[in-house]
């Protein structure tokens, strides 16, 4: 049941936040779509759009992959796929780079001794013109990889002494301006949780915002959470916040610990003191795990904040004064998923797709999804599919009608074994939803934890879909990265192309 409110009330989480896809070819260039090769003629209606057709699958026998990211690592105009995966038990992690068009393995780092689950962040620190890869995971695991060769650049080691100082699980980092004077961006990353504490609701050590030297892996700054609660949310930068120092959004709390959504500045992080951080949303008895989405909902040319709290609220905050624009309350629901932004109705303002799990951690029995007007929070569509998900979703115009469709990944533990992971398509014009294609394999943990990516891998003007899947055998740890062809041309712009949006910054760009 959804309740609409006028104003806001003042383990799995780590996987959900660390990272789930992408940057696309069409995300980098937002002016005109490339010419297509005729195999993806524009469908006149979504009902005639065929299911995605498989192109290749690249598997790993001991890894569950999380959200793949596609990007041009070497600047040659073609995209590579960087996928990160891991196993919690036995602990193991892997990073693999694939040639996007062919799926050939370019390099693989499978030496991590802990589970990896962040999305890859890319910064050229070697100066060779190839973006290098930075990933995080459990138990203080964070390292950099040479994007050209796959060789390890560095592995983070905290020089501070225990037990006075401690860092735990790393999530998806954010590149920030150079602070060390070497001309290379640094990395801002959140750290929190403690795998040694298994009791739900038990006190946990405080989370931290951490700055690392991307070139060396050295610790530049660390600041403890202002409420002394844990952190799972990957931080975000707000580029138009009007502050003299970079504005940062971060979340505290978890499934069973209180927390909220906060804003601070990079200067405060560098000073090691978040005591003046502003609490934007109080999470009550639970925290804020999913990163917010950013888009101009009210047409004032400032980015507004759309956040889904773990206690089942979807809230839009005015980017100028932090006041609540609208709020929806989903009774008896929780969420790990970042809202997906797109243009789902007839006006020029962005709209919102939200995902909420019915139940109480760790037991859920259904997933409710809604399309919401960004203008006023009115529900445009809602439906249920599956029993669990952590994934983010896609917003893209597949039929050329200037209205985005939603593509979402679903996991259903009640389905026949090996068929639990499915893909679905929401037609926002007819307010209808249908499964899209055959089942993709087993559900847990791959399907609930991975966001699809959509873009153009081979620059042929036809859409490609990249999904992390699991084999049908639920008892195995075998995951795969699969490429599908979509019989639809690349639109002039892709509104939300993967985890944290098309440009991997959680920002929906305005339409021209």
């Amino acid at each position: 049941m959804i309740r609409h409110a006028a104003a806001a009330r003042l383990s799995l989480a780590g996987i959900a936040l660390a990272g789930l896809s992408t940057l696309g070819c069409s995300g980098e260039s937002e002016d005109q779509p490339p010419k297509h090769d005729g195999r993806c003629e524009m469908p006149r209606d979504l009902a005639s759009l065929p299911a995605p057709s498989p192109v290749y699958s690249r598997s790993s026998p001991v890894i569950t992959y999380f959200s793949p990211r596609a990007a041009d690592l070497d600047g040659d105009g073609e995209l590579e796929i960087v996928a990160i995966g891991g196993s919690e038990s036995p602990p193991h992690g892997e990073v693999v780079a694939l040639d996007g068009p062919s799926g050939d393995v370019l390099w693989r780092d499978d030496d991590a001794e802990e589970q990896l689950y962040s999305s890859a962040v890319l910064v050229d620190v070697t100066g060779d013109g190839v973006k290098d890869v930075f990933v995080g995971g459990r138990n203080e695991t964070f390292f950099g990889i040479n994007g050209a060769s796959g060789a390890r650049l560095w592995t983070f080691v905290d020089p501070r002494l225990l037990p006075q100082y401690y860092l735990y699980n790393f999530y998806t980092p954010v590149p920030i301006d150079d602070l060390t004077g070497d001309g290379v961006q640094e990395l801002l990353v959140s750290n929190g949780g403690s795998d040694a504490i298994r009791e739900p609701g038990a006190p946990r050590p405080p989370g931290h915002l951490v700055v690392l030297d991307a070139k060396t892996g050295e610790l530049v700054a660390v600041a403890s959470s202002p409420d002394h609660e844990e952190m799972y949310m990957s931080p975000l930068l707000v580029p138009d916040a009007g502050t003299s120092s970079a504005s940062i959004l971060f979340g505290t709390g978890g499934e069973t610990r209180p927390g909220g959504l906060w804003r601070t500045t990079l200067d405060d992080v560098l000073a090691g003191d978040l005591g003046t951080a502003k609490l934007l949303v109080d999470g009550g008895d639970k925290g804020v795990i999913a990163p917010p989405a950013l888009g101009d909902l009210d047409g004032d040319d400032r980015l507004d904040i759309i956040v889904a709290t773990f206690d089942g609220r979807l809230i839009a905050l005015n980017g100028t004064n932090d006041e609540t624009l609208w709020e929806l309350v989903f009774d008896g629901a929780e969420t790990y998923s970042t809202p997906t932004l797109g243009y789902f109705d007839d006006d020029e303002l962005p709209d919102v797709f939200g995902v909420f799990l019915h139940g109480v951690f760790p037991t859920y029995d259904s997933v409710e999804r809604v399309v919401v007007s960004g203008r006023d929070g009115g529900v445009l569509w809602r439906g249920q599919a599956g029993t669990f998900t952590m994934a983010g979703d896609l917003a893209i115009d597949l039929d050329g009608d200037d209205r985005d469709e939603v593509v979402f990944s679903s996991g259903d533990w009640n389905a026949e074994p090996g068929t639990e992971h499915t893909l679905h398509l929401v037609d926002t014009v007819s307010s209808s939803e249908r499964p899209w294609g055959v089942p993709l394999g087993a559900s847990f943990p791959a399907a609930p934890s991975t966001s699809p990516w959509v873009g153009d891998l081979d620059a042929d003007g036809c859409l490609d879909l990249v999904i992390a899947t699991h084999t049908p055998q639920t008892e195995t740890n075998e995951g795969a990265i699969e490429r599908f062809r979509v019989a639809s041309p690349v639109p002039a712009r892709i509104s939300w192309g993967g985890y944290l949006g098309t440009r991997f910054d959680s920002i929906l760009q305005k339409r021209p």
Side-chain angles (χ1 to χ4, degrees):
M1 178 180 178
I2 305 174
R3 291 189 288 115
H4 198 291
R9 300 171 304 191
L10 285 179
S11 95
L12 291 176
I15 295 175
L17 271 302
L20 308 142
S21 157
T22 121
L23 193 57
C25 160
S26 54
E28 295 277 13
S29 176
E30 297 186 349
D31 296 323
Q32 295 295 327
K35 295 180 180 179
H36 61 85
D37 66 1
R39 290 177 292 171
C40 50
E41 295 295 339
M42 180 69 71
R44 294 300 96 191
D45 60 82
L46 286 179
S48 64
L49 179 66
S53 58
V55 178
Y56 62 71
S57 177
R58 298 293 178 261
S59 63
S60 176
V62 294
I63 289 297
T64 294
Y65 287 116
F66 299 107
S67 298
R69 183 173 180 190
D72 185 357
L73 293 181
D74 53 11
D76 67 354
E78 290 189 345
L79 298 184
E80 287 73 46
I81 298 170
V82 181
I84 296 170
S87 168
E88 185 175 0
S89 181
H92 182 59
E94 175 180 293
V95 186
V96 62
L98 306 176
D99 176 74
S102 69
D104 293 341
V105 176
L106 302 177
W107 52 256
R108 173 180 271 116
D109 181 319
D110 58 1
D111 292 332
E113 297 179 351
E114 295 288 349
Q115 183 185 34
L116 303 176
Y117 44 56
S118 79
S119 282
V121 165
L122 311 172
V123 178
D124 178 11
V125 302
T126 60
D128 61 358
V130 179
K131 296 182 180 68
D132 303 302
V133 179
F134 301 89
V135 302
R138 294 188 185 274
N139 294 319
E140 213 175 71
T141 300
F142 198 96
F143 55 87
I145 300 173
N146 186 299
S149 67
R152 190 76 65 90
L153 294 172
W154 50 260
T155 299
F156 174 73
V157 176
D158 193 342
R160 305 171 306 164
L161 297 177
L162 292 171
Q164 182 179 2
Y165 302 106
Y166 41 80
L167 291 173
Y168 292 100
N169 305 327
F170 280 108
Y171 305 110
T172 297
V174 179
I176 59 175
D177 289 343
D178 173 31
L179 299 171
T180 61
D182 60 6
V184 175
Q185 290 177 295
E186 318 305 344
L187 300 172
L188 169 71
V189 60
S190 59
N191 182 283
S194 176
D195 290 350
I197 302 175
R198 297 287 183 177
E199 180 185 353
R204 288 173 175 262
H208 299 83
L209 291 180
V210 179
V211 176
L212 299 178
D213 185 326
K215 197 166 187 176
T216 66
E218 294 179 355
L219 188 65
V220 175
V222 58
S224 179
S225 58
D227 56 1
H228 307 291
E229 289 292 344
E230 58 188 339
M231 282 190 197
Y232 292 110
M233 179 187 137
S234 299
L236 295 179
L237 295 182
V238 184
D240 66 351
T243 54
S244 58
S245 176
S247 181
I248 299 166
L249 298 178
F250 67 97
T252 62
E255 293 103 336
T256 60
R257 295 295 307 174
L261 177 68
W262 303 76
R263 183 173 58 231
T264 189
T265 65
L266 180 58
D267 282 349
D268 287 341
V269 176
L270 296 177
D273 185 1
L274 301 182
T276 60
K278 181 177 181 179
L279 180 63
L280 301 179
V281 175
D282 189 332
D285 294 333
K286 303 173 186 178
V288 174
I289 293 176
L294 305 174
D296 181 12
L297 300 186
D298 54 10
D300 66 353
D301 293 325
R302 293 289 297 272
L303 291 174
D304 304 307
I305 301 168
I306 304 92
V307 60
T309 62
F310 197 75
D311 65 356
R313 290 175 289 155
L314 185 62
I315 303 170
L317 300 176
N318 187 296
T320 301
N321 56 26
D322 300 328
E323 293 182 358
T324 299
L325 296 173
W326 49 260
E327 175 183 345
L328 296 177
V329 180
F330 295 79
D331 291 325
E334 299 175 341
T335 186
Y336 293 94
S337 300
T338 293
T340 296
L341 303 187
Y343 294 92
F344 303 134
D345 60 18
D346 289 330
D347 64 35
E348 291 302 310
L349 297 177
D351 305 302
V352 183
F353 179 73
V355 180
F356 291 86
L357 312 174
H358 284 281
V360 177
F361 170 81
T363 303
Y364 303 104
D365 55 28
S366 64
V367 183
E368 182 174 6
R369 296 173 175 86
V370 292
V371 175
V372 177
S373 168
R375 179 186 297 275
D376 57 13
V379 175
L380 304 174
W381 171 88
R382 68 181 182 183
Q384 292 193 10
T387 56
F388 184 68
T389 186
M390 291 179 173
D393 302 298
L394 308 176
I396 182 170
D397 181 9
L398 295 172
D399 57 2
D401 64 355
D402 211 31
R403 288 265 293 267
D404 287 323
E405 284 70 55
V406 176
V407 177
F408 70 83
S409 184
S410 175
D412 188 348
W413 294 329
N414 296 326
E416 290 294 320
T419 67
E420 302 99 324
H421 183 188
T422 53
L423 204 63
H424 297 251
L425 180 63
V426 178
D427 181 345
T428 58
V429 174
S430 65
S431 296
S432 62
E433 171 268 325
R434 63 182 170 95
W436 197 32
V438 298
L440 299 171
S443 175
F444 190 81
S449 308
T450 179
S451 301
W453 175 90
V454 67
D456 188 356
L457 289 174
D458 49 12
D460 67 352
C462 297
L463 282 172
D464 295 297
L465 190 65
V466 180
I467 308 174
T469 66
H470 194 278
T471 63
Q473 288 72 41
T474 56
E475 68 275 8
T476 73
N477 221 16
E478 183 167 330
I481 300 299
E482 299 196 43
R483 175 192 172 190
F484 295 84
R485 175 177 290 277
V486 179
S488 183
V490 179
R493 63 176 53 225
I494 296 175
S495 292
W496 206 262
Y499 178 65
L500 297 184
T502 302
R503 304 204 300 189
F504 206 65
D505 54 9
S506 217
I507 296 173
L508 176 68
Q509 300 297 310
K510 294 186 70 171
R511 290 197 291 195

